[in-house]
Short mmCIF file of all heavy atoms in Angstrom, two decimals:
data_model
loop_
_atom_site.label_atom_id
_atom_site.label_comp_id
_atom_site.label_asym_id
_atom_site.label_seq_id
_atom_site.Cartn_x
_atom_site.Cartn_y
_atom_site.Cartn_z
N MET A 254 7.77 61.72 -130.95
CA MET A 254 8.49 60.51 -130.49
C MET A 254 9.72 60.30 -131.38
O MET A 254 9.69 60.49 -132.56
CB MET A 254 7.55 59.35 -130.59
CG MET A 254 8.01 58.11 -129.99
SD MET A 254 6.70 56.84 -130.07
CE MET A 254 7.52 55.70 -131.14
N LYS A 255 10.81 59.88 -130.74
CA LYS A 255 12.05 59.62 -131.46
C LYS A 255 12.50 58.21 -131.22
O LYS A 255 12.22 57.64 -130.15
CB LYS A 255 13.15 60.57 -131.09
CG LYS A 255 12.89 62.01 -131.49
CD LYS A 255 14.10 62.86 -131.25
CE LYS A 255 13.83 64.23 -131.78
NZ LYS A 255 14.98 65.13 -131.60
N ALA A 256 13.19 57.62 -132.20
CA ALA A 256 13.73 56.25 -131.99
C ALA A 256 15.20 56.29 -132.26
O ALA A 256 15.72 57.12 -133.00
CB ALA A 256 13.06 55.35 -133.01
N ARG A 257 15.90 55.42 -131.58
CA ARG A 257 17.40 55.38 -131.70
C ARG A 257 17.74 53.91 -131.66
O ARG A 257 17.28 53.12 -130.88
CB ARG A 257 18.01 56.14 -130.55
CG ARG A 257 19.44 56.58 -130.81
CD ARG A 257 19.88 57.62 -129.74
NE ARG A 257 19.65 57.13 -128.39
CZ ARG A 257 20.45 56.36 -127.70
NH1 ARG A 257 21.58 55.91 -128.26
NH2 ARG A 257 20.15 55.93 -126.52
N VAL A 258 18.76 53.56 -132.51
CA VAL A 258 19.32 52.22 -132.54
C VAL A 258 20.74 52.22 -131.99
O VAL A 258 21.55 53.02 -132.49
CB VAL A 258 19.28 51.62 -133.88
CG1 VAL A 258 20.06 50.27 -133.95
CG2 VAL A 258 17.90 51.31 -134.37
N ASP A 259 21.02 51.41 -131.01
CA ASP A 259 22.42 51.23 -130.55
C ASP A 259 23.08 50.27 -131.53
O ASP A 259 22.92 49.03 -131.41
CB ASP A 259 22.41 50.69 -129.12
CG ASP A 259 23.84 50.47 -128.58
OD1 ASP A 259 24.80 50.51 -129.39
OD2 ASP A 259 23.98 50.23 -127.44
N GLN A 260 23.84 50.78 -132.47
CA GLN A 260 24.42 49.95 -133.51
C GLN A 260 25.49 49.01 -132.99
O GLN A 260 25.79 48.00 -133.62
CB GLN A 260 24.90 50.77 -134.66
CG GLN A 260 23.72 51.46 -135.39
CD GLN A 260 24.14 52.19 -136.62
OE1 GLN A 260 25.24 52.72 -136.78
NE2 GLN A 260 23.23 52.26 -137.63
N ASP A 261 26.07 49.30 -131.85
CA ASP A 261 27.04 48.41 -131.24
C ASP A 261 26.32 47.13 -130.68
O ASP A 261 26.95 46.08 -130.61
CB ASP A 261 27.84 49.10 -130.10
CG ASP A 261 28.75 50.17 -130.71
OD1 ASP A 261 29.18 49.99 -131.80
OD2 ASP A 261 28.99 51.18 -130.01
N ALA A 262 25.11 47.32 -130.26
CA ALA A 262 24.36 46.25 -129.68
C ALA A 262 23.58 45.43 -130.74
O ALA A 262 23.36 44.19 -130.62
CB ALA A 262 23.35 46.73 -128.66
N CYS A 263 23.19 46.06 -131.82
CA CYS A 263 22.45 45.41 -132.88
C CYS A 263 23.14 44.24 -133.48
O CYS A 263 24.32 44.29 -133.76
CB CYS A 263 22.14 46.46 -134.01
SG CYS A 263 21.34 45.75 -135.47
N ILE A 264 22.38 43.09 -133.59
CA ILE A 264 22.95 41.85 -134.16
C ILE A 264 22.49 41.61 -135.58
O ILE A 264 22.72 40.60 -136.18
CB ILE A 264 22.68 40.64 -133.29
CG1 ILE A 264 21.13 40.47 -133.15
CG2 ILE A 264 23.39 40.72 -131.92
CD1 ILE A 264 20.75 39.10 -132.46
N GLY A 265 21.81 42.62 -136.16
CA GLY A 265 21.41 42.55 -137.59
C GLY A 265 20.37 41.50 -137.88
O GLY A 265 20.36 40.97 -138.99
N CYS A 266 19.48 41.27 -136.98
CA CYS A 266 18.43 40.26 -137.22
C CYS A 266 17.42 40.65 -138.24
O CYS A 266 16.75 39.82 -138.81
CB CYS A 266 17.76 39.87 -135.88
SG CYS A 266 16.57 41.13 -135.34
N GLY A 267 17.26 41.95 -138.49
CA GLY A 267 16.34 42.38 -139.51
C GLY A 267 14.87 42.59 -139.07
O GLY A 267 14.04 42.92 -139.88
N LEU A 268 14.64 42.33 -137.81
CA LEU A 268 13.22 42.36 -137.33
C LEU A 268 12.66 43.75 -137.34
O LEU A 268 11.48 43.96 -137.73
CB LEU A 268 13.19 41.80 -135.90
CG LEU A 268 11.98 41.13 -135.42
CD1 LEU A 268 11.50 40.02 -136.33
CD2 LEU A 268 12.21 40.54 -134.04
N CYS A 269 13.45 44.76 -136.93
CA CYS A 269 12.78 46.09 -136.77
C CYS A 269 12.31 46.68 -138.12
O CYS A 269 11.21 47.22 -138.21
CB CYS A 269 13.65 47.07 -135.97
SG CYS A 269 15.32 47.26 -136.49
N PRO A 270 13.11 46.59 -139.20
CA PRO A 270 12.57 47.08 -140.48
C PRO A 270 11.43 46.22 -141.02
O PRO A 270 10.59 46.75 -141.75
CB PRO A 270 13.82 47.06 -141.47
CG PRO A 270 14.81 46.21 -140.80
CD PRO A 270 14.57 46.26 -139.36
N ASP A 271 11.40 44.94 -140.63
CA ASP A 271 10.28 44.14 -141.02
C ASP A 271 9.01 44.61 -140.34
O ASP A 271 7.94 44.70 -140.97
CB ASP A 271 10.47 42.64 -140.57
CG ASP A 271 11.20 41.85 -141.62
OD1 ASP A 271 11.55 42.44 -142.69
OD2 ASP A 271 11.48 40.66 -141.35
N ILE A 272 9.10 44.95 -139.06
CA ILE A 272 7.93 45.39 -138.31
C ILE A 272 7.56 46.83 -138.63
O ILE A 272 6.37 47.19 -138.76
CB ILE A 272 8.20 45.22 -136.82
CG1 ILE A 272 8.38 43.74 -136.41
CG2 ILE A 272 7.10 45.88 -135.98
CD1 ILE A 272 8.85 43.51 -135.01
N CYS A 273 8.58 47.70 -138.79
CA CYS A 273 8.32 49.10 -138.98
C CYS A 273 9.27 49.74 -140.00
O CYS A 273 10.21 50.48 -139.65
CB CYS A 273 8.47 49.82 -137.59
SG CYS A 273 7.98 51.53 -137.64
N PRO A 274 8.98 49.46 -141.30
CA PRO A 274 9.87 49.95 -142.37
C PRO A 274 9.84 51.48 -142.54
O PRO A 274 10.74 52.07 -143.16
CB PRO A 274 9.37 49.27 -143.61
CG PRO A 274 8.00 48.85 -143.30
CD PRO A 274 7.91 48.61 -141.78
N GLU A 275 8.82 52.17 -141.94
CA GLU A 275 8.77 53.63 -142.05
C GLU A 275 9.89 54.27 -141.19
O GLU A 275 10.26 55.40 -141.41
CB GLU A 275 7.42 54.13 -141.52
CG GLU A 275 6.28 54.00 -142.53
CD GLU A 275 5.04 54.65 -141.99
OE1 GLU A 275 4.94 55.90 -142.05
OE2 GLU A 275 4.22 53.92 -141.46
N VAL A 276 10.38 53.55 -140.24
CA VAL A 276 11.34 54.12 -139.25
C VAL A 276 12.75 53.45 -139.35
O VAL A 276 13.71 54.15 -139.13
CB VAL A 276 10.76 54.01 -137.82
CG1 VAL A 276 11.74 54.45 -136.78
CG2 VAL A 276 9.52 54.83 -137.69
N PHE A 277 12.77 52.17 -139.63
CA PHE A 277 14.06 51.48 -139.53
C PHE A 277 14.42 50.87 -140.91
O PHE A 277 13.56 50.50 -141.67
CB PHE A 277 13.96 50.30 -138.55
CG PHE A 277 13.55 50.71 -137.16
CD1 PHE A 277 12.26 50.55 -136.74
CD2 PHE A 277 14.46 51.25 -136.27
CE1 PHE A 277 11.85 50.98 -135.49
CE2 PHE A 277 14.09 51.66 -134.97
CZ PHE A 277 12.76 51.48 -134.58
N GLU A 278 15.73 50.87 -141.16
CA GLU A 278 16.20 50.11 -142.31
C GLU A 278 17.59 49.48 -141.95
O GLU A 278 18.22 49.92 -141.00
CB GLU A 278 16.34 51.00 -143.55
CG GLU A 278 17.53 51.92 -143.47
CD GLU A 278 17.70 52.76 -144.78
OE1 GLU A 278 16.87 52.73 -145.65
OE2 GLU A 278 18.80 53.34 -144.91
N MET A 279 17.92 48.48 -142.76
CA MET A 279 19.26 47.85 -142.57
C MET A 279 20.30 48.57 -143.38
O MET A 279 20.01 48.99 -144.52
CB MET A 279 19.25 46.39 -142.94
CG MET A 279 18.22 45.53 -142.21
SD MET A 279 18.26 45.68 -140.40
CE MET A 279 19.90 44.87 -140.07
N THR A 280 21.49 48.82 -142.86
CA THR A 280 22.56 49.40 -143.59
C THR A 280 23.35 48.32 -144.33
O THR A 280 23.09 47.14 -144.16
CB THR A 280 23.56 50.10 -142.69
OG1 THR A 280 24.25 49.15 -141.89
CG2 THR A 280 22.81 51.08 -141.72
N ASP A 281 24.25 48.77 -145.20
CA ASP A 281 25.11 47.83 -145.91
C ASP A 281 25.97 47.00 -144.94
O ASP A 281 26.50 45.94 -145.26
CB ASP A 281 26.02 48.59 -146.90
CG ASP A 281 25.20 49.18 -148.01
OD1 ASP A 281 24.05 48.69 -148.25
OD2 ASP A 281 25.73 50.07 -148.72
N ASP A 282 26.15 47.51 -143.72
CA ASP A 282 26.96 46.81 -142.73
C ASP A 282 26.07 45.82 -141.91
O ASP A 282 26.54 45.28 -140.89
CB ASP A 282 27.64 47.79 -141.76
CG ASP A 282 28.61 48.67 -142.43
OD1 ASP A 282 29.26 48.17 -143.40
OD2 ASP A 282 28.82 49.82 -142.05
N ASP A 283 24.86 45.69 -142.32
CA ASP A 283 23.91 44.72 -141.62
C ASP A 283 23.61 45.11 -140.18
O ASP A 283 23.52 44.26 -139.33
CB ASP A 283 24.48 43.31 -141.74
CG ASP A 283 23.80 42.52 -142.83
OD1 ASP A 283 22.79 42.99 -143.33
OD2 ASP A 283 24.28 41.36 -143.12
N VAL A 284 23.49 46.41 -139.95
CA VAL A 284 22.94 46.83 -138.70
C VAL A 284 21.77 47.76 -139.04
O VAL A 284 21.69 48.33 -140.11
CB VAL A 284 23.99 47.63 -137.81
CG1 VAL A 284 25.05 46.68 -137.32
CG2 VAL A 284 24.57 48.79 -138.55
N ALA A 285 20.85 47.92 -138.08
CA ALA A 285 19.69 48.71 -138.29
C ALA A 285 20.05 50.20 -138.08
O ALA A 285 20.91 50.50 -137.27
CB ALA A 285 18.54 48.32 -137.39
N ARG A 286 19.31 51.04 -138.77
CA ARG A 286 19.40 52.49 -138.44
C ARG A 286 18.05 53.11 -138.61
O ARG A 286 17.12 52.57 -139.20
CB ARG A 286 20.40 53.19 -139.37
CG ARG A 286 19.96 53.34 -140.79
CD ARG A 286 21.07 54.03 -141.57
NE ARG A 286 20.68 54.18 -142.97
CZ ARG A 286 20.65 55.34 -143.62
NH1 ARG A 286 20.99 56.44 -143.05
NH2 ARG A 286 20.27 55.35 -144.88
N VAL A 287 17.92 54.28 -137.93
CA VAL A 287 16.66 55.01 -137.93
C VAL A 287 16.75 55.98 -139.11
O VAL A 287 17.71 56.70 -139.26
CB VAL A 287 16.45 55.74 -136.60
CG1 VAL A 287 15.25 56.66 -136.66
CG2 VAL A 287 16.33 54.75 -135.46
N ILE A 288 15.69 56.07 -139.90
CA ILE A 288 15.67 56.88 -141.11
C ILE A 288 14.83 58.11 -141.03
O ILE A 288 14.63 58.86 -142.00
CB ILE A 288 15.24 56.01 -142.35
CG1 ILE A 288 13.93 55.32 -142.08
CG2 ILE A 288 16.32 55.00 -142.69
CD1 ILE A 288 13.39 54.61 -143.36
N VAL A 289 14.25 58.36 -139.85
CA VAL A 289 13.43 59.54 -139.69
C VAL A 289 13.84 60.31 -138.47
O VAL A 289 14.36 59.72 -137.48
CB VAL A 289 11.90 59.21 -139.52
CG1 VAL A 289 11.34 58.69 -140.83
CG2 VAL A 289 11.70 58.23 -138.39
N GLU A 290 13.77 61.67 -138.50
CA GLU A 290 14.11 62.49 -137.43
C GLU A 290 13.09 62.25 -136.24
O GLU A 290 13.41 62.15 -135.06
CB GLU A 290 14.15 63.95 -137.82
CG GLU A 290 14.65 64.93 -136.82
CD GLU A 290 16.14 64.79 -136.58
OE1 GLU A 290 16.87 64.40 -137.52
OE2 GLU A 290 16.54 65.07 -135.41
N VAL A 291 11.83 62.32 -136.66
CA VAL A 291 10.73 62.11 -135.72
C VAL A 291 9.85 60.98 -136.28
O VAL A 291 9.56 60.96 -137.47
CB VAL A 291 9.88 63.41 -135.62
CG1 VAL A 291 8.70 63.18 -134.72
CG2 VAL A 291 10.77 64.55 -135.10
N VAL A 292 9.45 60.09 -135.40
CA VAL A 292 8.61 58.94 -135.78
C VAL A 292 7.28 59.52 -136.22
O VAL A 292 6.55 60.19 -135.48
CB VAL A 292 8.46 57.96 -134.70
CG1 VAL A 292 7.49 56.87 -135.05
CG2 VAL A 292 9.81 57.39 -134.27
N PRO A 293 6.78 59.21 -137.44
CA PRO A 293 5.47 59.67 -137.87
C PRO A 293 4.41 59.11 -136.90
O PRO A 293 4.50 57.94 -136.50
CB PRO A 293 5.29 59.10 -139.28
CG PRO A 293 6.65 58.72 -139.72
CD PRO A 293 7.45 58.39 -138.50
N PRO A 294 3.39 59.87 -136.61
CA PRO A 294 2.36 59.43 -135.64
C PRO A 294 1.74 58.09 -136.04
O PRO A 294 1.53 57.27 -135.11
CB PRO A 294 1.29 60.56 -135.69
CG PRO A 294 2.07 61.78 -136.07
CD PRO A 294 3.15 61.30 -136.98
N ASP A 295 1.58 57.85 -137.30
CA ASP A 295 0.90 56.62 -137.70
C ASP A 295 1.86 55.40 -137.64
O ASP A 295 1.50 54.26 -137.86
CB ASP A 295 0.30 56.73 -139.07
CG ASP A 295 1.28 56.93 -140.16
OD1 ASP A 295 2.47 57.13 -139.88
OD2 ASP A 295 0.88 56.88 -141.37
N ALA A 296 3.15 55.62 -137.33
CA ALA A 296 4.11 54.55 -137.18
C ALA A 296 4.52 54.33 -135.73
O ALA A 296 5.37 53.44 -135.48
CB ALA A 296 5.32 54.82 -138.05
N GLU A 297 3.98 55.10 -134.83
CA GLU A 297 4.43 55.03 -133.44
C GLU A 297 4.25 53.59 -132.80
O GLU A 297 5.10 53.09 -132.15
CB GLU A 297 3.78 56.08 -132.61
CG GLU A 297 4.33 57.48 -132.91
CD GLU A 297 3.80 58.55 -131.91
OE1 GLU A 297 2.93 58.21 -131.05
OE2 GLU A 297 4.25 59.70 -132.03
N ASP A 298 3.06 53.11 -133.03
CA ASP A 298 2.75 51.76 -132.45
C ASP A 298 3.73 50.70 -132.97
O ASP A 298 4.21 49.85 -132.25
CB ASP A 298 1.29 51.34 -132.73
CG ASP A 298 0.31 52.09 -131.90
OD1 ASP A 298 0.74 52.81 -130.99
OD2 ASP A 298 -0.89 52.04 -132.19
N GLN A 299 3.96 50.78 -134.29
CA GLN A 299 4.90 49.82 -134.89
C GLN A 299 6.31 50.02 -134.37
O GLN A 299 7.05 49.01 -134.19
CB GLN A 299 4.89 49.93 -136.40
CG GLN A 299 3.65 49.37 -137.05
CD GLN A 299 3.58 49.67 -138.56
OE1 GLN A 299 3.72 50.83 -138.98
NE2 GLN A 299 3.45 48.63 -139.35
N ALA A 300 6.75 51.28 -134.23
CA ALA A 300 8.07 51.52 -133.71
C ALA A 300 8.23 50.95 -132.31
O ALA A 300 9.27 50.35 -131.95
CB ALA A 300 8.33 53.02 -133.76
N LYS A 301 7.20 51.14 -131.44
CA LYS A 301 7.28 50.57 -130.12
C LYS A 301 7.30 49.04 -130.18
O LYS A 301 7.98 48.41 -129.42
CB LYS A 301 6.07 51.01 -129.32
CG LYS A 301 6.14 52.45 -128.87
CD LYS A 301 4.89 52.83 -128.09
CE LYS A 301 4.70 54.32 -127.99
NZ LYS A 301 3.36 54.67 -127.48
N GLU A 302 6.49 48.49 -131.10
CA GLU A 302 6.47 47.03 -131.25
C GLU A 302 7.87 46.51 -131.67
O GLU A 302 8.34 45.50 -131.15
CB GLU A 302 5.45 46.69 -132.33
CG GLU A 302 5.01 45.24 -132.35
CD GLU A 302 4.06 44.95 -133.51
OE1 GLU A 302 3.17 45.78 -133.74
OE2 GLU A 302 4.28 43.91 -134.15
N ALA A 303 8.53 47.26 -132.54
CA ALA A 303 9.88 46.85 -132.96
C ALA A 303 10.83 46.89 -131.83
O ALA A 303 11.67 46.02 -131.65
CB ALA A 303 10.35 47.80 -134.13
N ALA A 304 10.76 47.93 -130.99
CA ALA A 304 11.60 48.07 -129.84
C ALA A 304 11.39 46.93 -128.84
O ALA A 304 12.38 46.35 -128.33
CB ALA A 304 11.37 49.39 -129.09
N ASP A 305 10.14 46.51 -128.65
CA ASP A 305 9.83 45.42 -127.79
C ASP A 305 10.31 44.09 -128.35
O ASP A 305 10.73 43.18 -127.62
CB ASP A 305 8.30 45.30 -127.55
CG ASP A 305 7.78 46.43 -126.66
OD1 ASP A 305 8.60 47.03 -125.95
OD2 ASP A 305 6.54 46.64 -126.64
N ALA A 306 10.30 44.00 -129.69
CA ALA A 306 10.68 42.76 -130.34
C ALA A 306 12.15 42.54 -130.50
O ALA A 306 12.63 41.42 -130.69
CB ALA A 306 10.01 42.64 -131.72
N CYS A 307 12.92 43.65 -130.43
CA CYS A 307 14.36 43.50 -130.62
C CYS A 307 14.99 42.54 -129.62
O CYS A 307 14.85 42.74 -128.40
CB CYS A 307 15.06 44.89 -130.47
SG CYS A 307 16.82 44.79 -130.63
N PRO A 308 15.68 41.49 -130.12
CA PRO A 308 16.19 40.47 -129.24
C PRO A 308 17.29 40.94 -128.29
O PRO A 308 17.55 40.25 -127.25
CB PRO A 308 16.64 39.35 -130.19
CG PRO A 308 16.91 40.04 -131.47
CD PRO A 308 15.91 41.16 -131.52
N VAL A 309 17.95 42.02 -128.65
CA VAL A 309 19.05 42.52 -127.79
C VAL A 309 18.79 43.90 -127.19
O VAL A 309 19.70 44.51 -126.69
CB VAL A 309 20.38 42.51 -128.57
CG1 VAL A 309 20.85 41.10 -128.91
CG2 VAL A 309 20.28 43.33 -129.85
N ASP A 310 17.55 44.29 -127.30
CA ASP A 310 17.09 45.55 -126.62
C ASP A 310 17.96 46.69 -127.10
O ASP A 310 18.32 47.61 -126.30
CB ASP A 310 17.18 45.38 -125.11
CG ASP A 310 16.18 46.25 -124.40
OD1 ASP A 310 15.26 46.74 -125.04
OD2 ASP A 310 16.34 46.46 -123.20
N ALA A 311 18.18 46.76 -128.44
CA ALA A 311 19.07 47.85 -128.96
C ALA A 311 18.33 49.07 -129.39
O ALA A 311 18.93 50.03 -129.84
CB ALA A 311 19.83 47.25 -130.16
N ILE A 312 16.94 49.08 -129.34
CA ILE A 312 16.20 50.21 -129.73
C ILE A 312 15.65 51.00 -128.58
O ILE A 312 15.04 50.45 -127.65
CB ILE A 312 15.04 49.74 -130.59
CG1 ILE A 312 15.53 48.96 -131.84
CG2 ILE A 312 14.12 50.91 -131.08
CD1 ILE A 312 14.45 48.25 -132.67
N ASP A 313 15.95 52.29 -128.59
CA ASP A 313 15.40 53.22 -127.55
C ASP A 313 14.31 54.06 -128.13
O ASP A 313 14.53 54.62 -129.22
CB ASP A 313 16.54 54.12 -127.09
CG ASP A 313 17.28 53.61 -125.85
OD1 ASP A 313 16.74 52.66 -125.24
OD2 ASP A 313 18.34 54.12 -125.53
N ILE A 314 13.22 54.17 -127.43
CA ILE A 314 12.12 54.99 -127.84
C ILE A 314 12.08 56.18 -126.85
O ILE A 314 12.03 55.96 -125.62
CB ILE A 314 10.84 54.24 -127.85
CG1 ILE A 314 10.85 53.07 -128.89
CG2 ILE A 314 9.67 55.21 -128.15
CD1 ILE A 314 10.85 53.53 -130.30
N GLU A 315 12.05 57.36 -127.41
CA GLU A 315 12.01 58.58 -126.55
C GLU A 315 10.63 59.23 -126.84
O GLU A 315 10.33 59.69 -127.92
CB GLU A 315 13.10 59.55 -126.93
CG GLU A 315 13.33 60.69 -126.02
CD GLU A 315 14.49 61.59 -126.53
OE1 GLU A 315 15.58 61.03 -126.62
OE2 GLU A 315 14.18 62.72 -126.83
N GLU A 316 9.77 59.22 -125.80
CA GLU A 316 8.41 59.78 -125.99
C GLU A 316 8.44 61.26 -126.17
O GLU A 316 9.27 61.97 -125.65
CB GLU A 316 7.57 59.43 -124.80
CG GLU A 316 7.37 57.96 -124.56
CD GLU A 316 6.47 57.25 -125.54
OE1 GLU A 316 5.72 57.99 -126.27
OE2 GLU A 316 6.46 56.03 -125.59
S1 SF4 B 85 15.55 44.25 -134.05
FE1 SF4 B 85 17.34 44.87 -132.86
S2 SF4 B 85 18.96 43.37 -133.38
FE2 SF4 B 85 17.34 43.25 -134.95
S3 SF4 B 85 18.01 44.58 -136.55
FE3 SF4 B 85 16.65 45.81 -135.21
S4 SF4 B 85 18.00 46.79 -133.80
FE4 SF4 B 85 19.15 45.15 -134.76
#
């Protein structure tokens, strides 16, 4: 599974790294980015939860 953040859409709310710090972090520009090539299996549920929680739907999950 892969995750992707649309940084043009991200409003920097910080929710995704709060929910799933294994996959997301905030950059110095206050947008989220994905820090892993492939989502670790034990973080998949959290990554999906972060995608669902994103207020601007900026996170894409590729199964
Ligand atoms: S939850 Fe969405 S808007 Fe918030 S930091 Fe993550 S990608 Fe950006």
Side-chain angles (χ1 to χ4, degrees):
M254 189 175 116
K255 290 187 177 183
R257 201 166 52 83
V258 170
D259 179 351
Q260 293 188 327
D261 292 330
C263 174
I264 57 169
C266 75
L268 208 53
C269 55
D271 273 359
I272 294 172
C273 187
E275 281 185 80
V276 174
F277 304 98
E278 73 174 14
M279 301 308 291
T280 70
D281 291 341
D282 295 328
D283 261 348
V284 292
R286 70 180 179 126
V287 174
I288 54 174
V289 290
E290 188 70 30
V291 176
V292 176
D295 65 353
E297 286 187 356
D298 286 349
Q299 284 174 306
K301 287 180 196 166
E302 196 184 316
D305 287 343
C307 177
V309 291
D310 208 15
I312 300 172
D313 266 347
I314 299 289
E315 192 181 299
E316 299 287 346

